[in-house]
Amino acid sequence: MAKYYPILLNIQDKKCLVVGGGNVAWRKVCSLKDAGARVTVVSPEFCPEMEKETGIERIQQKYEEGFLNGVLVVVASTDDEEVNKKVYYDAVKRGILVNVVDRPEFCSFIVPATILRGDLSISISTGGASPSLARNIRESLEKQFGDEYGEFAGLLSEMRRKILSEISDESIRRDILQRIAGLDMLGIVKEKGVAEAKKKILRIISEKIHRKDAKNAKECLG
């Protein structure tokens, strides 16, 4: 069995192709679209959900290799094994990332079970050995990681941008970033909300800067 290299792929505004028009293909379309991809779907027929889906390109015909032109990622999810294999071999020949649903032997990548909480993404994979185990672990973790984790991640992203733009000293930046990502800060988010945690973080930033300024002034005075 293949060993997989864990990776999170930026597909924002990238062309991705889904071959197949059923419910499973539709779910793949939704996840690609949610990640910002430009999605094209090719199939002789589409399920009602696919027909209603907005913001995608639907091509109602049989798959041909030419549909791979300019594609970064292709997912094959048809009920025709020969079509799925053709998609795989065509993609491999062109160096395109390909996933044939439920057939890890015809995949250059697999899609892990994933928990999304805002900017926080937690992925679980068994390398294709047992998708059921990955799903069970995901369901267990979903109970542990509530929406507050997404709120916390969003706040940390905002504060990180502020720190990087306003503080030039790398050691101070590192100290602050490590401090504000602590579980005690998450506890404030859980108990008192994001606004209170933001106030606390801003105080930490201010204190660190003032301490650095005071130290520099003392050194200048000898």
Side-chain angles (χ1 to χ4, degrees):
M1 181 173 291
K3 294 291 185 181
Y4 292 93
Y5 179 70
I7 188 171
L8 292 173
L9 189 65
N10 180 2
I11 59 173
Q12 182 72 38
D13 295 324
K14 302 296 192 300
K15 183 177 180 181
C16 295
L17 177 70
V18 175
V19 181
N23 287 322
V24 174
W26 170 67
R27 291 196 292 272
K28 299 299 181 181
V29 165
C30 291
S31 61
L32 289 168
K33 196 176 79 165
D34 288 346
R38 294 184 290 111
V39 184
T40 298
V41 190
V42 174
S43 178
E45 299 178 348
F46 300 113
C47 68
E49 290 83 0
M50 194 79 83
E51 290 280 9
K52 296 174 185 176
E53 193 63 38
T54 60
I56 64 173
E57 178 186 18
R58 281 179 292 271
I59 301 178
Q60 193 163 2
Q61 65 180 77
K62 293 181 179 180
Y63 165 79
E64 297 175 1
E65 184 179 346
F67 289 124
L68 293 176
N69 292 338
V71 166
L72 177 67
V73 172
V74 56
V75 177
S77 179
T78 79
D79 56 6
D80 188 323
E81 185 72 5
E82 293 307 310
V83 172
N84 290 339
K85 288 182 180 180
K86 177 171 172 51
V87 173
Y88 171 74
Y89 289 116
D90 288 348
V92 169
K93 180 172 63 178
R94 290 170 171 247
I96 296 171
L97 294 171
V98 56
N99 175 276
V100 177
V101 175
D102 292 333
R103 294 297 301 272
E105 67 271 29
F106 292 111
C107 295
S108 58
F109 73 96
I110 57 175
V111 180
T114 304
I115 301 167
L116 293 175
R117 297 290 185 265
D119 291 333
L120 176 64
S121 174
I122 304 172
S123 297
I124 307 101
S125 173
T126 60
S130 177
S132 295
L133 174 59
R135 184 180 62 250
N136 290 341
I137 294 172
R138 184 203 69 205
E139 290 174 353
S140 175
L141 289 175
E142 282 176 336
K143 299 172 184 176
Q144 300 178 41
F145 292 86
D147 292 338
E148 68 273 8
Y149 281 86
E151 296 174 349
F152 186 39
L155 174 61
L156 291 178
S157 177
E158 177 189 349
M159 293 295 97
R160 184 174 186 272
R161 291 193 298 270
K162 177 180 177 63
I163 291 164
L164 293 178
S165 65
E166 297 182 4
I167 301 175
S168 59
D169 189 302
E170 184 178 348
S171 64
I172 294 179
R173 288 204 307 253
R174 184 171 57 251
D175 287 345
I176 295 174
L177 290 171
Q178 290 177 347
R179 172 69 181 85
I180 67 176
L183 293 180
D184 57 332
M185 199 64 65
L186 175 62
I188 295 175
V189 174
K190 288 181 177 180
E191 296 173 11
K192 300 181 180 180
V194 171
E196 192 62 33
K198 184 174 182 178
K199 291 179 184 178
K200 175 70 172 178
I201 291 173
L202 292 174
R203 285 197 297 271
I204 291 171
I205 294 173
S206 178
E207 288 170 3
K208 287 283 187 178
I209 293 174
H210 289 158
R211 287 176 188 172
K212 179 67 174 179
D213 290 343
K215 181 180 179 182
N216 289 341
K218 184 177 180 179
E219 290 174 351
C220 289
L221 293 172

